[in-house]
Amino acid sequence: MAQITVDDIRRILVACAGGMEGLGPDADITHLTFEELGYDSLALMESAAQIKQDFGVDVSDDEITEVTTPKELADLVNGLAARAA
């Protein structure tokens, strides 16, 4: 499985919950919090379902609500994928 990137996270977030508040498509979102980006826990849970569909990695509700930035989410997904391999 390919590693998930912050750009993949951006694509999934936008597809699941709409555009990011006040940011252009090329803005660096790596270390911005999901709150700063305008995403709530429901948006993250929907994103987790999409991650499972696209990447085959199951992120639990507890795990998804513990991460605060797109970088942390990408690291979590890649760590879960590595453990499952």
Side-chain angles (χ1 to χ4, degrees):
M1 180 193 104
Q3 295 253 320
I4 193 168
T5 66
V6 171
D7 286 335
D8 294 323
I9 299 294
R10 175 197 308 265
R11 175 186 52 79
I12 290 167
L13 285 167
V14 170
C16 290
M20 297 181 181
E21 292 184 357
L23 295 175
D26 296 327
D28 182 7
I29 65 164
T30 304
H31 299 290
L32 295 176
T33 66
F34 292 116
E35 183 178 326
E36 291 171 316
L37 295 170
Y39 296 113
D40 60 12
S41 59
L42 180 58
L44 293 177
M45 288 180 200
E46 290 175 14
S47 297
Q50 190 65 46
I51 288 168
K52 183 174 183 178
Q53 183 176 351
D54 291 355
F55 291 89
V57 177
D58 190 12
V59 182
S60 74
D61 289 350
D62 289 338
E63 291 168 320
I64 197 77
T65 58
E66 289 180 12
V67 296
T68 60
T69 68
K71 171 78 168 105
E72 289 177 8
L73 180 53
D75 290 346
L76 172 64
V77 172
N78 290 327
L80 292 170
R83 278 184 258 153

